[in-house]
Amino acid sequence: MTGLRVVVLGGTGFVGSAVADRFVRAGATVRSVSRGGAASVSGVDVVAADLTRPGAVARAVAGADVIASLVLYTGSGSYRVGAEHAEAAAEVNVEVAHAVSGAVGSGGGPTVLWAGSTSQVGAGAGERISVDGSEPDRPTTEYDRQKCAAEAHVLGAGGISLRLPTVYGRSPGGLDRGVVTAMIRRAVAGQALTVWGEGGMLRDLVAVDDVARAFVTAAAHAPRLAGRKWVLGSDRGVSVRDLFERIAHAVAAHANRAPVPVVSVPPPAHATDMDLRGLVADPSAFRAVTGWRTDVDLDDGLAETVRAAAPDGTVRDP
């Protein structure tokens, strides 16, 4: 990777900062582009830019050998895109991908790596729990519809889509903003962890360090991956109840106290079909080309996230 020129769009975010850091450690020259432009990774050239402005993407990616597009806007503190934020979110989530594709052209330009989601398959795409990317997409949430629209632009330009499962942990940009850190914060505060129904829905969790390594690995194997979507995951499902119990015990071990209880509650009105569907990612196709596999054990990753969230037993803001 020495001498490779990499531009990470959304490079100060949770996944983006981890990807930028991993490319730096691999020897690449890295430019991080984000709206705020705050530095979070040593050795990175930081650029502040509003990528929704005309021409901003083309200027940001000029001279790049690799473009890692990791921008995401939902309008909330989670990965949900509400109806009231759909138009604003699409300007970032879809139009930036469109602009990246336009800047690259139809071939011969830089490699584009884009972060998709395993949830793009949708709740109605058959009853299979394990997905490998061969399934037809039937997105059922605004978040996933925007992901599919953006991915079409990327693949049309010969880019590479890496569909991510639930990503958790700590990166240079902070803690994940998903269910893992949310439940850790509840447990540290001594609150019960609540599962919807029996909590038997399976989830596939991958540590952010493993995801960042996948992006660098994809860049190294770009000719064989170009123009396709690739599923990332551990190929191991954990039920939501089991996950929450592991979190409760990880916090208890860290704080030297009894674990908080995990209790069942009815699903709330805002729960989507995807919330109630089990999903496990089969990364065998990506592994066959690149050799990538997850390294971080789930319990080890949860323990590290607990230490990052509450090093002395007190919750820290992300």
Side-chain angles (χ1 to χ4, degrees), residues 19-43:
V19 170
D21 181 59
R22 178 65 68 164
F23 270 112
V24 168
R25 287 191 279 154
T29 299
V30 180
R31 182 189 311 149
S32 170
V33 183
S34 64
R35 186 184 295 269
S40 58
V41 176
S42 177

Side-chain angles (χ1 to χ4, degrees), residues 29 33 39 41 50 54 65 73 110 117 124 156 166 195 205 210-211 215 223 228 251 257-258 268 297 304:
T29 299
V33 183
V41 176
D50 180 354
D65 300 310
Y73 175 76
S117 172
T166 301
V195 297
L205 286 90
D210 281 332
V211 168
F215 274 81
R228 288 182 55 187
V251 171
R257 67 189 192 201
D297 173 79
E304 180 180 351

Side-chain angles (χ1 to χ4, degrees), residues 1-7 23 26-31 63-66 111 216 219-220:
M1 293 286 171
T2 301
L4 197 71
R5 296 165 298 182
V6 178
V7 174
F23 270 112
T29 299
V30 180
R31 182 189 311 149
D65 300 310
V66 175
T111 296
V216 176

Side-chain angles (χ1 to χ4, degrees), residues 67-70 97 101 111-121 132-133 137 143-144 146-165 211 214-215 218-219 221-222 224-233 283 285-286 290:
I67 303 166
S69 184
L70 292 141
S101 302
T111 296
V112 177
L113 306 174
W114 183 80
S117 172
T118 56
S119 64
Q120 287 174 235
V121 69
D132 61 10
D137 294 325
Y143 171 85
D144 290 319
Q146 292 191 9
K147 282 288 187 182
C148 285
E151 184 180 75
H153 290 305
V154 171
L155 298 186
I160 300 165
S161 173
L162 301 182
R163 291 195 173 187
L164 312 182
V211 168
F215 274 81
H221 295 82
R224 297 182 62 191
L225 300 173
R228 288 182 55 187
K229 60 186 180 185
W230 303 86
V231 168
L232 300 186
F286 186 71
T290 67

Side-chain angles (χ1 to χ4, degrees), residues 94 189 218 258 273:
V94 180
D273 290 341

